[in-house]
Amino acid sequence: MLIKSLICLIALSALPEVHDDQTSVDELSSPQTTVASIRNLSDAEANRRYPVQMKGTVLLATPSSFVFHDGETAIWCERPRTDDESRIHLSAGMTVEIKGQSNRGHNAPLIQCSEVTVTGTGELPVPRKSSFSELQSGVLDCQWVTIDGVGISAQQGNFLQMAGTSVVVSTFGGKFFFNSTAVSPEMMESVIDAEITVTGVCLPRFNNRGNVLDSDIMSCVSDGLKITKEANKNPFESNKVTLGSLFEFSPVWSPTHRKVVTGTVTACEPGHQIFITDGEHNLRVIPQTYDIFKIGDVIQCAGFLEMEENFPVLRTSIIQTIGSDKPPEPSSVTPDSVLSIQLLAPNSDQRDHQAGLVRLSGNLIAVEDQLGKPFQLILDADGSLVPVTLASFQPPRQLRKIRPGSTLEVTGICSIRTSDRPEVNRMLRAESFEIRLRSPQDVTVLSTASWWNATRLLLLLAGTVALLLAALLVIFWMRRRIAQRGSELAEARREKDALELVAATTKQERTRVAADLHDTLEQSLAGVALQLRAIETARSKDLADRNLSLATQILSQSREDLRRSVWNLRLTDSGVTLLREELRKTCLAIFSVTPITAEVGGRGEERKLDVLTTDNLLMIAKEAMTNALKHSSPNHIQIDVDYTADQVSLCVTDDGCGFDADRVAGTHQGHFGLTGMQERVRRIGGELMLVSNPEHGTRIEVTVPR
């Protein structure tokens, strides 16, 4: 009793929990009225398509979707799937009522709307003041945010099926894109280097796995971009810095405005990059235009500084020439002097050669000339492999003709590759470097490699071996061709013999058919003629009727004999090679109108025989069955085809009256049946055995080796 009471108490205590679970399910099954309830769903829960009914404000609208804010938070909504003419117009600030269901989306829960009703126009919510780190984390997905920064560049673009302006904004911590459909082309220039405040919807970018990559801000409202401090009208009046003072330490953060640097051009790739130097420090400059500058020109560059692979780069640069100087002299370097630099050593007097003009000597190891890739020379300098790249994709012929093993002196811009992160003791090291040629004239051949080298010797040996193999292949091919031709001639000879055999067989068969017709049809017609003549001379009606009945019987028997003769004339299709199946068809045709039963069987798995063997065995069996039908009056005929590994045998047995094998009629008596069988057996190289005794039936067996 105590145990039963405990069980009841446990069951009663579990009832409220079941009720609570049911309540939570009912709550989710009822229409959701807050965005937070949808955003907090997992992917699996959002995919259950819970009903949604909410009121709120549109923050951003595209042709196929919009961002909806319910007063607390925002979410991405897919518009009802209708044609363009029936789709209602939405814009930021409209108040709407939506109905639909939840969906997991690609990366975050969203609402699949089935109905959107515009109820009026309201005010946009107060934007959230955000930082760059919050923006890039992805937690502000679809939220209305604002952030301060400096405009780096602006250009026309197309995003979310809408044309607009894309502004690169630099802020504390990094850069992001501000995309707006309300920034006019005239405003683009005034944005660059100006301090701005941008307001809009945070839209993270995700990869195919749903991982957050970064975030942009997009807005469709006119005050989404506000200039808080205008830029200098003359870019070259911006803050001037020297090449040796780039990214100097400062305890006070300031917006990333343009910087102006001055230097002498050491290399110029129009529209791609320009390299300058002040004699000690070097800098890579990314220009805005495709202007060409000569080596030795002194230029001013106004642009935005960035760190790229642990070295400074000046991007989005406006450039002007302020003078000219003699072309800078390259620094003679070795791999050790380039790679031994300690990039994190404070106040180091050791000079780095990044983006600087250098000169290096080494032995040519290989020439890389691949379609669609820059032309490269691989040098061995003091045991280190150094790639030497030509900017042009179409190098002159003289560079392609340089032999590996030659000693070269190359001049170009040094590009250092560093480790991905600092090593022990914060020592960031250079891992490798390459040299970028300015023109083919930057390559000087100090000594030419001998034409006869190990590579050519190997090629000669390989060519000799190839010739020997080719000769062997030709000999082998000729022998195969001779053997093949011999086989063709032998096959032609066999075909000729087969045709001669077929002709002889046809002649013999015609002789047999003639004899068969003579024994059956001609004699039957003669008997009918005699009976008809007897009818003419009959003295009484009874005698005439009896003679007419005999004539009718003779004609019926003649018709059966003629049918059997026709079946004997019939040949099998050359494509039929299964003997048992063909014998079954033959038995059905011959004995279907007779009381005689015929059965086809045998031992061994049925296999295909050659056409000559199949045809002759079939004709022998037909002759045996016809003879039994004509002469033995059997009740049952058994046909067996036995297959063994080395032979095939045919056996036809009947239970008829039999005959004396020693006294059987032959060709001299006008009967050709058994003689024809013997000829067919000899034709296929087999053996014939005939066993028959009066009143004990007949057995004919043919054995043919494989």
Side-chain angles (χ1 to χ4, degrees):
M1 292 296 293
L2 179 61
I3 294 175
K4 290 182 178 180
S5 300
L6 290 174
I7 293 174
C8 291
L9 288 173
I10 293 172
L12 290 173
S13 63
L15 287 176
E17 296 180 2
V18 174
H19 179 72
D20 290 344
D21 292 343
Q22 185 63 40
T23 301
S24 63
V25 172
D26 292 339
E27 288 177 354
L28 288 175
S29 299
S30 61
Q32 303 300 299
T33 58
T34 63
V35 171
S37 64
I38 301 299
R39 288 181 62 87
N40 292 331
L41 295 175
S42 66
D43 284 351
E45 290 174 334
N47 206 33
R48 293 177 184 174
R49 303 184 181 277
Y50 293 118
V52 173
Q53 183 172 355
M54 301 178 186
K55 294 181 179 181
T57 307
V58 175
L59 302 181
L60 174 71
T62 74
S64 60
S65 55
F66 63 95
V67 177
F68 174 84
H69 194 280
D70 67 348
E72 296 294 333
T73 186
I75 194 170
W76 188 270
C77 297
E78 297 288 345
R79 301 181 68 169
R81 296 178 180 176
T82 58
D83 54 39
D84 295 338
E85 294 182 357
S86 59
R87 182 174 293 166
I88 63 173
H89 173 72
L90 294 179
S91 61
M94 284 184 174
T95 57
V96 295
E97 181 178 355
I98 63 173
K99 295 181 181 180
Q101 54 190 0
S102 66
N103 200 327
R104 66 181 297 271
H106 171 63
N107 41 57
L110 56 81
I111 297 175
Q112 186 73 51
C113 295
S114 59
E115 182 179 341
V116 178
T117 304
V118 178
T119 58
T121 303
E123 294 184 357
L124 293 172
V126 177
R128 173 175 174 172
K129 191 71 173 179
S130 305
S131 65
F132 180 77
S133 57
E134 283 184 312
L135 200 66
Q136 301 305 313
S137 66
V139 297
L140 299 178
D141 173 56
C142 292
Q143 301 310 302
W144 190 245
V145 298
T146 182
I147 189 169
D148 298 329
V150 175
I152 300 296
S153 65
Q155 62 180 2
Q156 294 294 317
N158 190 295
F159 21 82
L160 297 180
Q161 305 175 4
M162 298 184 296
T165 302
S166 180
V167 180
V168 178
V169 182
S170 174
T171 188
F172 182 70
K175 297 185 301 182
F176 64 92
F177 285 93
F178 174 73
N179 303 318
S180 174
T181 59
V183 175
S184 63
E186 295 78 13
M187 191 179 178
M188 290 171 56
E189 287 297 327
S190 62
V191 169
I192 300 175
D193 200 30
E195 295 182 17
I196 59 177
T197 299
V198 295
T199 303
V201 175
C202 175
L203 296 178
R205 292 194 308 122
F206 300 83
N207 62 12
N208 63 311
R209 298 182 179 183
N211 308 130
V212 178
L213 301 177
D214 53 28
S215 296
D216 302 333
I217 294 178
M218 184 170 179
S219 175
C220 294
V221 296
S222 58
D223 59 348
L225 186 150
K226 295 179 180 179
I227 298 177
T228 58
K229 183 179 179 180
E230 294 185 355
N232 289 325
K233 293 183 179 180
N234 185 355
F236 297 101
E237 293 179 358
S238 302
N239 185 22
K240 293 181 174 59
V241 295
T242 64
L243 297 184
S245 63
L246 305 179
F247 286 107
E248 283 188 329
F249 168 75
S250 173
V252 179
W253 177 84
S254 62
T256 307
H257 285 285
R258 274 194 179 118
K259 299 293 189 297
V260 178
V261 297
T262 303
T264 304
V265 176
T266 56
C268 177
E269 298 176 17
H272 180 50
Q273 56 190 357
I274 300 171
F275 297 91
I276 61 174
T277 183
D278 62 2
E280 184 178 1
H281 304 94
N282 312 296
L283 181 64
R284 176 174 173 240
V285 179
I286 310 299
Q288 275 190 331
T289 62
Y290 285 81
D291 295 335
I292 299 175
F293 299 94
K294 296 183 295 184
I295 296 174
D297 283 347
V298 181
I299 61 175
Q300 273 190 334
C301 307
F304 297 91
L305 280 172
E306 295 180 5
M307 292 298 293
E308 183 178 285
E309 297 182 352
N310 302 309
F311 294 104
V313 176
L314 192 69
R315 288 189 176 275
T316 320
S317 301
I318 301 173
I319 304 173
Q320 67 176 1
T321 304
I322 61 175
S324 62
D325 198 353
K326 63 178 181 179
E329 290 294 326
S331 301
S332 296
V333 297
T334 63
D336 287 341
S337 66
V338 175
L339 299 177
S340 62
I341 180 174
Q342 296 182 4
L343 299 174
L344 294 182
N347 302 321
S348 174
D349 294 332
Q350 187 179 9
R351 179 182 176 185
D352 73 81
H353 298 281
Q354 168 65 19
L357 186 63
V358 299
R359 179 172 289 159
L360 177 72
S361 298
N363 296 322
L364 180 62
I365 299 299
V367 177
E368 300 288 340
D369 188 11
Q370 299 181 13
L371 183 64
K373 294 184 178 181
F375 180 83
Q376 275 193 341
L377 303 173
I378 308 299
L379 295 187
D380 179 2
D382 299 334
S384 298
L385 296 182
V386 180
V388 179
T389 304
L390 182 66
S392 172
F393 283 82
Q394 296 181 348
R397 187 173 299 175
Q398 62 264 28
L399 292 185
R400 290 193 177 98
K401 290 183 176 180
I402 300 177
R403 299 172 187 168
S406 301
T407 302
L408 306 181
E409 183 181 72
V410 297
T411 302
I413 302 299
C414 180
S415 176
I416 299 176
R417 296 184 180 89
T418 60
S419 55
D420 293 337
R421 57 184 179 178
E423 301 175 356
V424 181
N425 300 325
R426 296 172 56 84
M427 302 302 290
L428 184 63
R429 297 186 181 277
E431 292 186 338
S432 62
F433 73 100
E434 69 174 1
I435 294 176
R436 193 173 184 89
L437 300 174
R438 300 170 298 177
S439 70
Q441 284 69 36
D442 284 335
V443 178
T444 302
V445 179
L446 301 180
S447 62
T448 305
S450 173
W451 187 90
W452 190 255
N453 52 29
T455 301
R456 287 188 168 84
L457 178 60
L458 289 176
L459 290 175
L460 178 61
L461 292 176
T464 304
V465 172
L467 288 175
L468 291 175
L469 290 176
L472 292 175
L473 288 175
V474 170
I475 293 172
F476 177 74
W477 177 80
M478 292 182 65
R479 292 183 63 181
R480 286 196 61 183
R481 185 60 182 165
I482 292 172
Q484 183 180 2
R485 185 58 181 165
S487 299
E488 291 175 354
L489 292 174
E491 183 65 23
R493 181 63 184 175
R494 284 194 294 270
E495 291 178 356
K496 181 180 179 182
D497 293 342
L499 289 175
E500 293 176 352
L501 180 61
V502 169
T505 303
T506 302
K507 182 178 180 180
Q508 294 174 0
E509 187 65 16
R510 290 175 64 182
T511 302
R512 189 197 66 78
V513 169
D516 191 23
L517 292 176
H518 178 272
D519 287 347
T520 58
L521 186 60
E522 183 179 352
Q523 292 181 5
S524 298
L525 292 176
V528 170
L530 290 174
Q531 294 300 326
L532 292 176
R533 189 176 300 168
I535 292 173
E536 292 177 354
T537 58
R539 297 179 179 179
S540 65
K541 183 178 183 300
D542 292 339
L543 183 59
D545 291 341
R546 185 173 63 84
N547 291 333
L548 182 59
S549 176
L550 288 175
T552 302
Q553 293 177 9
I554 293 173
L555 282 176
S556 178
Q557 183 63 38
S558 175
R559 185 173 58 209
E560 293 299 324
D561 290 343
L562 182 59
R563 182 182 294 113
R564 285 193 295 271
S565 297
V566 171
W567 271 104
N568 287 336
L569 287 173
R570 192 174 161 268
L571 293 176
T572 60
D573 188 358
S574 60
V576 177
T577 54
L578 297 178
L579 187 56
R580 289 174 184 165
E581 184 65 26
E582 193 65 21
L583 286 171
R584 291 187 182 96
K585 295 178 182 179
T586 302
C587 291
L588 181 63
I590 293 178
F591 301 111
S592 60
V593 296
T594 68
I596 301 173
T597 60
E599 184 178 355
V600 178
R603 297 186 302 274
E605 184 178 356
E606 183 92 7
R607 66 170 179 261
K608 293 183 178 181
L609 305 173
D610 59 88
V611 176
L612 184 63
T613 301
T614 301
D615 289 346
N616 280 280
L617 288 178
L618 182 61
M619 294 303 295
I620 291 171
K622 288 180 179 180
E623 183 67 28
M625 289 185 285
T626 303
N627 288 340
L629 184 64
K630 291 169 58 178
H631 306 295
S632 296
S633 300
N635 295 318
H636 178 74
I637 296 178
Q638 179 68 36
I639 304 99
D640 292 319
V641 181
D642 297 333
Y643 294 92
T644 62
D646 54 355
Q647 69 180 21
V648 58
S649 61
L650 170 70
C651 181
V652 181
T653 307
D654 66 73
D655 58 355
C657 61
F659 60 90
D660 188 351
D662 296 332
R663 301 177 60 186
V664 64
T667 55
H668 298 291
Q669 289 80 24
H671 297 280
F672 300 93
L674 292 177
T675 302
M677 289 184 189
Q678 293 170 350
E679 291 176 352
R680 291 184 184 277
V681 170
R682 286 196 300 271
R683 202 173 299 152
I684 57 178
E687 295 182 358
L688 174 67
M689 182 175 68
L690 173 65
V691 177
S692 181
N693 291 307
E695 306 301 331
H696 290 86
T698 303
R699 180 170 177 267
I700 296 175
E701 183 174 354
V702 179
T703 303
V704 181
R706 185 176 179 180

